[in-house]
């Protein structure tokens, strides 16, 4: 009888779990940290000169490398080199035990804490108590606190003293997306690094590298779309690329631009250019048909408006002579160059404001596609009108026909200083004083003289409202001197007529309403929401109307 046993097939090694691209390609050296050259240079100089701060704060939008930078700093400070004799370096070796342990998240002296789930003072007290003890095996004991702004006020206060005077073997590394929520008392104790959004062209280059490493073919335009959608975040972009690669596996072939657009619900840039051209041409029916085609393909109206905003912005940059965007196709560059040469800065600014308002309206509309259609029609209508400044100039110069407003009151006849012809109205009196060198007294009459009775040389002014006693006295004295007759200017505590200033204000308001009621002006204000008729322009138009009357 055999003593052997059949144990069956030997156990197969378990397949390694898939790691998403955002984790797989997390930077392991400062050289792999894209878009943060200024920070890397500063840290390198600090390490070389042994001028290391005891606390660092990394701030920036999501996915730009804040936590990765904190881990790299931990490596840089604790690296001992392949031979075990190295010191702090901006280029950690990645092969020594501290480097490998930190990369794998298992180093006993590098403690990571998520402040979002450890917000209380007790959590911070544990750090304070443990910080007194020396590092077990590393050069420095390092505390990495992610989303530090989530700590409570009491937790921050408990940390302050230790943060200001930590033991020599302790370093604090904080990361946050909302630095404005971190108390100033904490900020003043840290060396702060503001991590920038990563430029789209650098993201596209990085995604191309990742695609090659993954053995996936990807169109440059597709990578450019992903880079723009990432909005400066490497992690967001890699997540989108991961999804695009999975999508490509279903469709067959590599990562294509049209597939990325469908996946993200982006507006086709070619369709956006066609729509923009229709808007500039004033073709309302064609513009709405173009919008509906994109909507039927699943493109969100807000995405269409964002595409139009990007087009206006791109044309403006080209007009300014800015550098070429590597993510743009030849067709897009040619189109932008044509619009930049044909549109003024004022027109581009007007288009931007109209589209920006449309984006705001559509974002909160109960019927988004209908609101987008109405907004585009408003823009079509605006393309045939001059801008508000040019319209006001045209009105002032008489280049636009206007309905005749109500005839203004006849200007008073100025009376000479003859004995027999005295000023017969308060307006004539004010002009008489002004013409005879009494501008200050004429100004007082204009602003505060409310007439109850006027029959020169007897004048009664209302004292029902505040009036200077000097005005009555000065009028009696100066009018006698100028006319050679004795005037009797008195007051009565009864209501009087509006002052000359109040009459002018009422007349100006009446004329303003008449101007705003003109068809061409009404059309302009409907086309340019938020526009206003400036006081200086109103005065010019009123002066023109009076000269034509």
């Amino acid at each position: 009888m055999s003593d052997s046993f059949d144990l069956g097939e030997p156990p197969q090694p378990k397949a390694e779990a898939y790691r998403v691209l955002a984790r797989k390609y997390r930077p392991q050296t400062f050289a792999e940290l894209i878009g943060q050259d200024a920070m890397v240079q500063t840290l390198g100089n600090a390490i070389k000169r042994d001028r290391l701060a005891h606390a660092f704060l990394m701030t920036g939008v999501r996915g730009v490398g804040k936590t990765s930078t904190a881990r790299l700093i931990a490596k840089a400070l604790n690296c001992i080199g392949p031979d075990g004799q190295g010191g702090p370096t901006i280029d950690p070796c990645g092969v020594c035990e501290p480097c490998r342990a930190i990369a794998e998240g298992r180093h006993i002296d590098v403690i990571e804490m998520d402040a979002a789930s450890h917000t209380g003072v007790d959590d911070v007290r544990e750090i304070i108590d443990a910080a007194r003890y020396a590092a077990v095996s590393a050069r420095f004991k390092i505390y990495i606190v992610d989303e530090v702004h989530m700590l409570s006020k009491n937790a921050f206060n408990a940390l302050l003293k230790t943060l200001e005077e930590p033991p020599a073997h302790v370093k604090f590394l904080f990361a946050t997306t909302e630095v404005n929520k971190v108390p100033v008392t904490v900020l003043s104790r840290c060396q702060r690094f503001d991590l920038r959004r990563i430029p789209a062209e650098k993201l596209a280059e990085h995604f191309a590298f990742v695609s090659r490493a993954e053995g996936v073919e990807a169109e440059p335009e597709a990578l450019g779309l992903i880079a723009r959608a990432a909005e400066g975040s490497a992690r967001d972009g890699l997540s989108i690329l991961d999804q695009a690669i999975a999508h490509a596996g279903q469709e067959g072939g590599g990562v294509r631009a049209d597939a990325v657009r469908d996946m993200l619900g982006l507006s086709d840039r070619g369709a956006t250019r066609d729509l923009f051209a229709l808007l500039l041409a004033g073709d309302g029916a064609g513009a709405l048909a173009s919008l509906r085609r994109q909507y039927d393909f699943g493109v969100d109206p807000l995405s269409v408006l964002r595409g139009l905003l990007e087009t206006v912005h791109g044309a403006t940059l080209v007009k300014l002579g800015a550098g070429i965007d590597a993510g743009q196709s030849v067709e897009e560059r040619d189109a932008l160059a044509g619009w930049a040469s044909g549109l003024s800065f004022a027109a581009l600014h007007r288009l931007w404001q109209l589209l920006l308002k449309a984006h705001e309206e559509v974002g909160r509309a109960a019927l988004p596609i209908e609101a987008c259609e109405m907004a585009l029609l408003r823009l079509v209508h605006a393309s045939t009108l001059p801008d508000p400044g040019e319209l006001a100039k045209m009105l002032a110069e008489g280049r636009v026909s206007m309905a005749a407003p109500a005839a203004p009151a006849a200007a008073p006849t100025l009376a000479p200083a003859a004995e027999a012809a005295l000023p017969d109205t308060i307006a004539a009196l004010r002009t008489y004083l002004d013409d005879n060198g009494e501008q200050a007294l004429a100004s007082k009459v204009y602003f505060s003289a409310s007439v109850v009775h006027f029959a020169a040389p007897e004048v009664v002014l209302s004292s029902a409202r505040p009036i200077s006693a000097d005005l009555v006295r000065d009028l009696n004295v100066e009018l006698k001197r100028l006319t050679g007759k004795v005037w009797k200017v008195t007051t009565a505590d009864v209501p009087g007529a509006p002052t000359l200033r109040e009459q002018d204000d009422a007349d100006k308001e009446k004329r303003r309403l008449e101007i705003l009621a003109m068809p061409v002006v009404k059309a302009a204000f409907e086309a340019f929401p938020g526009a206003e008729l400036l006081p200086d322009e109103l005065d010019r138009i009123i002066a023109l109307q009076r000269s034509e009357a």
Side-chain angles (χ1 to χ4, degrees):
M1 183 175 180
S2 172
D3 293 333
S4 62
F5 295 94
D6 184 6
L7 299 179
E9 291 289 332
Q12 299 295 321
K14 188 176 180 179
E16 184 178 354
Y18 175 71
R19 297 176 67 201
V20 296
L21 298 182
R23 292 188 60 196
K24 186 175 181 180
Y25 292 94
R26 175 173 283 165
Q28 299 300 317
T29 65
F30 281 105
E32 296 176 4
L33 190 66
I34 58 175
Q36 312 299 341
D37 298 340
M39 181 195 68
V40 173
Q41 182 178 356
T42 302
L43 283 172
N45 293 338
I47 291 173
K48 288 177 184 177
R49 299 174 185 175
D50 195 23
R51 299 179 63 87
L52 289 168
H54 58 271
F56 298 88
L57 175 73
M58 274 68 67
T59 178
V61 299
R62 68 197 184 282
V64 292
K66 299 182 296 297
T67 308
S68 295
T69 298
R71 292 172 181 163
L72 290 176
I73 293 175
K75 278 188 187 180
L77 298 183
N78 284 327
C79 178
I80 59 176
D83 57 359
Q85 304 299 315
T89 173
I90 194 64
D91 295 311
C93 66
V95 297
C96 66
E97 176 57 25
C99 282
R100 288 188 288 108
I102 293 171
E104 295 168 7
R106 56 180 176 81
H107 200 294
I108 193 172
D109 292 318
V110 178
I111 301 97
E112 291 193 34
M113 185 182 89
D114 175 23
S117 53
H118 299 81
T119 62
V121 67
D122 291 337
D123 300 304
V124 171
R125 190 174 289 118
E126 290 181 10
I127 294 178
I128 296 171
D129 293 340
R132 294 198 296 264
Y133 302 102
V136 175
S137 61
R139 187 178 296 111
F140 294 104
K141 178 178 283 189
I142 295 177
Y143 291 94
I144 299 175
V145 183
D146 199 11
E147 299 300 338
V148 68
H149 66 273
M150 299 291 287
L151 289 178
S152 67
K153 181 179 179 180
N154 290 337
F156 274 123
N157 290 335
L159 186 61
L160 284 180
K161 190 61 178 177
T162 303
L163 186 61
E164 183 172 18
E165 299 177 1
H169 60 273
V170 173
K171 301 289 183 186
F172 289 98
L173 305 177
F174 300 138
T176 178
T177 54
E178 299 185 51
V179 69
N180 58 301
K181 294 185 179 179
V182 179
V184 176
T185 50
V186 173
L187 294 176
S188 64
R189 290 165 168 83
C190 299
Q191 189 170 103
R192 173 175 167 174
F193 291 104
D194 288 80
L195 278 69
R196 302 176 178 179
R197 289 182 184 269
I198 305 169
E201 57 270 18
K202 287 193 175 184
L203 283 177
E205 292 174 5
H206 182 57
F207 299 156
F209 162 77
V210 171
S211 298
R212 289 193 297 270
E214 292 292 307
V216 176
E217 293 184 4
E219 295 178 355
E221 187 179 356
L223 298 179
L225 290 171
I226 294 173
R228 280 190 285 270
E231 297 182 344
S233 169
R235 183 175 63 235
D236 287 8
L238 287 173
S239 297
I240 297 172
L241 179 60
D242 224 340
Q243 183 181 355
I245 291 173
H247 186 75
Q250 295 175 357
E251 298 291 330
V255 177
R256 302 192 313 274
D258 56 347
V260 171
R261 286 194 192 93
D262 292 341
M263 184 184 75
L264 297 179
L266 296 175
S267 175
D268 186 315
R269 298 184 77 82
T272 299
R273 292 195 298 273
D274 294 340
L275 174 57
F276 190 65
L278 291 168
L279 293 172
L280 292 181
D283 185 352
L288 293 189
S290 176
L291 172 64
R292 279 289 176 174
R293 280 196 298 272
Q294 295 189 60
Y295 184 71
D296 292 341
F297 278 119
V299 180
D300 183 66
L302 281 176
S303 181
V304 174
L305 292 173
R306 279 196 296 271
L308 292 171
L309 282 166
E310 289 175 359
T311 301
V312 174
H313 180 254
T316 306
L317 292 183
V318 172
K319 193 170 186 67
L320 283 172
I324 295 174
D325 185 347
Q328 293 175 346
S329 63
V330 176
E331 294 81 7
E332 185 171 5
R333 293 176 195 170
D334 291 343
L336 292 178
W339 291 322
S341 63
L343 295 170
S344 65
F345 281 114
L348 288 167
H349 178 70
R350 188 193 339 160
L351 288 168
W352 176 265
Q353 292 298 329
L354 288 168
L355 286 169
L356 203 61
K357 183 171 181 61
H359 188 277
E360 178 186 349
E361 291 175 352
V362 173
R364 62 172 187 264
L367 303 170
I369 184 61
E370 287 80 1
C372 188
E373 288 178 336
M374 296 302 292
L376 293 187
L377 285 177
R378 183 171 63 211
L379 196 144
V380 167
H381 187 55
S383 68
T384 63
L385 292 174
D387 61 69
E390 178 64 20
L391 178 60
K393 184 178 179 182
M394 292 167 64
L395 287 170
E397 295 176 355
R399 289 187 281 143
V400 177
S401 61
M402 302 182 293
T413 304
L414 302 184
E419 184 176 328
L422 300 179
D424 56 354
T425 65
I426 193 67
L429 176 62
R430 178 241 180 162
T431 304
Y432 179 81
L433 291 170
D434 194 55
D435 290 345
N436 284 278
E438 293 295 330
Q439 285 81 12
L441 186 55
S443 179
K444 289 182 180 180
V445 169
Y446 176 75
F447 283 99
S448 60
S450 172
V451 176
V452 175
H453 171 72
F454 197 107
E458 292 185 5
V459 179
V460 181
L461 302 179
S462 172
S463 60
R465 64 176 71 187
I467 183 172
S468 171
D470 292 344
L471 174 60
V472 174
R473 183 197 65 196
D474 292 346
L475 283 173
N476 282 316
V477 172
E478 295 302 328
L479 288 173
K480 179 181 179 181
R481 181 181 65 83
L482 292 172
T483 66
K485 293 184 71 68
V486 176
W487 284 67
K488 187 179 179 181
V489 181
T490 60
T491 62
D493 190 14
V494 295
T499 64
L500 294 175
R501 169 63 183 273
E502 291 168 344
Q503 293 177 36
D504 280 354
D505 287 346
D507 180 62
K508 182 180 290 187
E509 177 61 16
K510 177 184 176 184
R511 291 175 180 275
R512 187 182 74 85
L513 295 176
E514 289 171 349
I515 291 169
L516 293 178
M518 295 176 183
V520 65
V521 178
K522 288 179 65 177
F525 275 85
E526 290 172 359
F528 305 111
E532 58 181 307
L533 184 58
L534 297 177
D536 289 345
E537 296 297 334
L538 177 61
D539 290 343
R540 288 174 56 192
I541 297 170
I542 291 175
L544 175 65
Q545 290 176 340
R546 284 175 174 166
S547 66
E548 292 177 345

